Every structure is written in C-alpha cells, then in structure tokens.
Amino acid sequence: MKKLLNTLYITRQESYLHKDRETIVIKQGDEKLGQFPALSLGGILCFGRVSVSPFLMGYCAENGISIAFYTEYGRFLARVHGRQTGNVLLRRTQYRWADCSDRSKEIARLFVAAKIANSRSVLLRELRNHGDNPRLTTAADRLASSLRRARTAKSVDEVRGIEGDAASCYFSVFDELLRGSGFAFGGRVRRPPTDPINALLSFIYSLVTQECVSALQGVGLDPYVGFLHRDRPGRASLALDLLEEFRASWADRFVLTLVNRRQIQSGDFVTEASGAVRLQEDARKKLLTLYQQRKQEELTHPYLQEQLPIGLLPHSQALLLARHLRGDTECYTPYVVK
Amino acid sequence: MLVLVTYDVSVTTAEGRRRLRNIAKICLDYGVRVQNSVFECEVDPAQFTFLKNRLLETYESDEDSLRFYSLGKRGRQRVEHFGAKQVEDPLRDALIL
C-alpha cells in the first residue's frame, strides 16, 4: 500500500504559498510561516483568503498533490488537478456501467449496504458500551431490515429509497449518542447547518469527500460519474458514492468522539445572522489537528487483511473498485467495519 | 526510511560558501533542517538515490565531507530531542498554519 502523505492546511488569512525549488513555502507578508518538502505532501487545503502562485499550482498538478479551496467556513469551492491520470479504458468501462441500470444497481446496492451496516455498528457499539436503550435497539432492528431489503432491491431508485429510509432512521436516534453538554441534535440539516452537530458533520463530510475525489483520481477513475448518485454538473458523484461507506464509521464516530470527550464545546461555535452555525477559527484548527491524527491511526483492512492507516481507506476502496471495473474481481467489496 | 544527512563544508573561499548554501538547499528539498548542518529526510530508496547523487555532484571531495545515516523505516522512533528548536515532522505532524 502506498505511503500516507501529509496534508497541509492553510487557515491563516492573507497568506501566500509559492514554490521554492522542490519545497512549498508559506508566507504572510514578508514573514515566512513555514517551508515543507513537496514530497511529503499529498494535498493542500486552503481556507479563506489564501493565494497560491500559479507556478506552484502547476507543480502540484504535475506531482499529484491536490489543492482544494474552501471558504473560511469550510464550504468547498474549487480544486486544482492536473492531467487526467490512468487508463482511458477503465474510465470507458465506468461510463458504460454507470449508464447500465443493472450494473449501477449492483454497485449502488453495495455502497448503500455498507453505509447501513456501518451506521448500525455505530448504534450497536453504543448499546454495547452504555447498556440498553429501547430507541437504539428499535433503530438498529430497522436498519437490519433495510439491509435485508437492500439485498433484493430491483432498481437504483429502490436502492436510493432504502438509503433515505435508513439515513432518516439513523439520524432520528443520533442525539442518543451525544454525551457532551450543550449539544442538541434534531435531525440532519444542511446548506447551511443550523446547529453545532450538523456544522461538524458537514465539515468532516466535506473533508472526507475531497479525500475520496483524490483517491478516485489517483487510481484513474472519474470522480464525477457515479452509480448511486445521479450526474449533476459540479457534483463529484462517484466520490459521494464512495463517501457512503465512510460516513458512519469514520466521520460520524469522529464527531461523536470530539463531542463526547469535550474536545469541541458549544462555545466553539458562532451563529450568524442567517442562522448558519460555524466553527470558530481556533476550534477549526483543533479539529483539523485531531482529524489529521485520526487519519494516522492504523487498522486492519477487513478484506485486504493489511495493516493500513485510516487515511488510506479511500485509496484502498478506490483501488478495489477499479479492480472490479477491470473485471479482476467478481464483485466490489465495500468497507464494512468488523 | 529516515536518513540523517550531515555535512561539513569548507567556507574559507567564496566558492565554498556557495557550495554550503547549495547543499543546504538540496537537503531542504527532501527533508527538514534539525540543526545547522544536520537534516532529517524521510525518503524512499529511489528518492534517497536522487538526494545522494545531487549532493555528491555539488560537494568538493577534497575539502568537504558528507555523511548519511540510514535510520531505517522506524527511524523516527530512534530519535530523541531535547532543548530548544523543536522541529516539525512534515510527514506526521498536523500541518496547520
């Protein structure tokens, strides 16, 4: 498995990134904030007013370092990537399969099944650790039946329906998992999130999505053509498909850990006039530090039986998907927590 | 693998000072400066070959010396640091600016 490269997060406003020989230099005015060798970086994430020299962009595109731009509040804006890598035949297959409803259904079903199974694991883990809770038990049972229905789904639309059902069932009991004081969760709210938990979830989902995009591009797949998500301009559908496997096991569990260990507290958020809730600057830094640490935690991949850091999971799954599209494997094996 | 690169460059001449600067720059491309003429570079074998070749092209064998210490894959664990000037590990530390 490839080396997990580091990610550089730039949250300092008015900073400027440029290339010096083979290193990336971060400056604010005339003050040099840091200098890092490019070969240790896999991606650069810029939040807010950060400028990047065109020369550095070109260099990064050529060397497979992804650059993504976010607003100061973490909403994704744009990314820079170089020439399309990988095999055109693989992408052709991907497009053909995406157009074929039967093939799409098969893969979409697996993404959704993994998502439901992983959501259910989150609930079961809570039950195991904190004793009986009738609401959670009922929800876990409902997820189990969704899982059974996903097995026999006849069309992609049916799969989407099952997914929607399961997600609303899961989020309806999500507040039971929160132990931190001062947090309430009534249900998933997006664009914009109107409470701290939704703000955290949206932020982490958007970070993991970008990792999925990079991973898919890295193995030569087109992140914009998905099986479960419909094509829409500007939407990385396949990355969102892949994200489904990681939502519960990676993002949701991470948010729960943050809140329940009181690493993030209700004072770390501000509510804007529009009702949108966002993280404050220093809390975002803390969050990114913890996220980066989480990515380095190692686990044994349940299918590959290989020890790998969490940060490489999108890569390993993209690889398995590419293998399936090439016809090397009978079916795709989604990431399901043991 | 982690490689420690140290050097001594003769700076009695202007040419020597130029070499010193160049060698430092090459090392910066691959790793971080931990002390004045000591660099820690986390590289794979291919990158290490490039690094070594570039340094060997630059240095002057009669006047300067170069030393490479290969600390292996778990090299990071064999390093202890005391005192001032803590350096960041560009591969593992959270790089948030």
Side-chain angles (χ1 to χ4, degrees):
Chain A
M1 196 54 66
K2 73 173 197 177
K3 188 155 90 175
L4 175 63
L5 295 169
N6 211 339
T7 310
L8 176 62
Y9 298 90
I10 310 290
T11 62
R12 189 86 70 104
Q13 300 302 297
E14 314 289 352
S15 47
Y16 176 67
L17 276 69
H18 69 93
K19 168 180 174 285
D20 181 16
R21 297 170 60 104
E22 310 282 300
T23 63
I24 292 164
V25 182
I26 304 101
K27 272 188 181 163
Q28 191 178 36
D30 288 332
E31 185 201 355
K32 193 198 238 181
L33 301 176
Q35 180 174 19
F36 304 102
L39 61 89
S40 59
L41 293 179
I44 304 175
L45 273 61
C46 306
F47 293 88
R49 295 190 302 282
V50 176
S51 39
V52 178
S53 85
F55 208 52
L56 175 62
M57 284 190 198
Y59 175 80
C60 287
E62 207 156 277
N63 289 279
I65 302 171
S66 68
I67 306 181
F69 292 92
Y70 294 80
T71 64
E72 214 178 321
Y73 317 130
R75 191 168 59 80
F76 173 74
L77 292 174
R79 55 183 286 124
V80 178
H81 71 89
R83 277 190 300 274
Q84 180 85 47
T85 52
N87 192 333
V88 60
L89 299 175
L90 177 68
R91 282 198 300 283
R92 278 266 198 198
T93 317
Q94 182 192 345
Y95 300 148
R96 278 196 203 106
W97 286 26
D99 285 337
C100 165
S101 58
D102 260 4
R103 294 276 199 184
S104 292
K105 185 202 74 188
E106 283 307 311
I107 299 181
R109 224 163 45 120
L110 290 167
F111 284 132
V112 169
K115 175 185 182 170
I116 300 175
N118 288 339
S119 311
R120 186 162 173 268
S121 299
V122 170
L123 301 185
L124 291 181
R125 177 176 169 150
E126 180 74 10
L127 283 169
R128 216 163 43 233
N129 292 346
H130 297 282
D132 215 17
N133 181 333
R135 277 187 74 198
L136 292 184
T137 320
T138 330
D141 290 344
R142 275 185 58 194
L143 291 183
S145 81
S146 298
L147 207 50
R148 279 192 296 274
R149 279 199 292 143
R151 194 179 301 164
T152 54
K154 302 248 178 340
S155 67
V156 184
D157 278 327
E158 196 183 335
V159 174
R160 289 186 186 120
I162 294 167
E163 192 235 318
D165 268 1
S168 74
C169 165
Y170 168 70
F171 278 119
S172 72
V173 295
F174 196 72
D175 58 322
E176 299 279 339
L177 311 178
L178 297 167
R179 254 158 255 294
S181 53
F183 288 109
F185 182 81
R188 188 83 181 99
V189 185
R190 304 175 302 157
R191 272 173 255 147
T194 52
D195 62 88
I197 299 294
N198 274 304
L200 283 176
L201 288 173
S202 294
F203 187 63
I204 303 295
Y205 288 156
S206 116
L207 293 181
V208 183
T209 311
Q210 287 317 305
E211 310 221 6
C212 291
V213 174
S214 305
L216 291 165
Q217 245 152 18
V219 301
L221 290 167
D222 185 340
Y224 290 88
V225 177
F227 302 109
L228 174 67
H229 289 83
R230 287 198 185 91
D231 293 355
R232 190 195 287 169
R235 174 159 83 175
S237 302
L238 188 60
L240 293 173
D241 287 0
L242 196 57
L243 173 71
E244 300 295 357
E245 304 173 20
F246 305 123
R247 277 186 199 267
S249 57
W250 181 351
D252 298 355
R253 278 243 42 100
F254 178 61
V255 168
L256 289 172
T257 312
L258 288 174
V259 172
N260 292 348
R261 283 191 189 153
R262 296 190 167 66
Q263 286 165 316
I264 294 277
Q265 293 178 328
S266 44
D268 289 329
F269 298 87
V270 282
T271 311
E272 286 176 349
S274 61
V277 169
R278 63 176 179 84
L279 264 171
Q280 272 175 347
E281 168 121 20
D282 36 335
R284 194 168 54 232
K285 275 191 186 162
K286 189 163 61 178
L287 181 78
L288 290 172
T289 312
L290 294 165
Y291 176 73
Q292 202 56 27
Q293 283 166 2
R294 169 64 62 99
K295 267 171 62 179
Q296 282 166 21
E297 280 169 28
E298 297 217 334
L299 44 79
T300 309
H301 191 283
Y303 176 71
L304 297 172
Q305 287 300 322
E306 202 177 320
Q307 192 92 358
L308 83 175
I310 291 182
L312 278 186
L313 282 178
H315 175 74
S316 73
Q317 292 314 112
L319 213 63
L320 288 173
L321 185 59
R323 265 188 218 168
H324 175 48
L325 287 167
R326 281 201 198 95
D328 295 347
T329 49
E330 190 77 11
C331 60
Y332 169 64
T333 319
Y335 174 72
V336 179
V337 186
K338 270 231 180 110
Chain B
M1 59 182 187
L2 186 69
V3 179
L4 192 73
V5 184
T6 65
Y7 52 77
D8 247 349
V9 178
S10 160
V11 289
T12 46
T13 58
E15 181 60 19
R17 286 190 285 278
R18 194 185 61 83
R19 280 202 310 276
L20 180 74
R21 281 196 302 276
N22 278 341
I23 287 177
K25 279 182 185 166
I26 294 168
C27 290
L28 264 184
D29 287 349
Y30 291 88
V32 281
R33 182 174 227 141
V34 287
Q35 281 170 351
N36 278 339
S37 46
V38 180
F39 284 83
E40 280 176 10
C41 306
E42 186 103 32
V43 284
D44 60 32
Q47 289 162 342
F48 180 51
T49 313
F50 278 115
L51 167 64
K52 206 156 80 180
N53 285 345
R54 284 178 64 188
L55 289 173
L56 292 177
E57 281 164 12
T58 313
Y59 94 129
E60 200 62 63
S61 59
D62 317 332
E63 297 171 50
D64 314 334
S65 72
L66 278 172
R67 290 178 81 86
F68 300 98
Y69 301 83
S70 295
L71 296 177
K73 221 176 171 181
R74 299 191 165 266
R76 193 58 58 188
Q77 291 162 13
R78 300 186 182 157
V79 178
E80 285 181 88
H81 182 100
F82 300 98
K85 270 189 73 181
Q86 279 287 351
V87 283
E88 271 168 333
D89 170 4
L91 211 55
R92 262 163 233 92
D93 283 353
L95 305 179
I96 298 161
L97 292 172

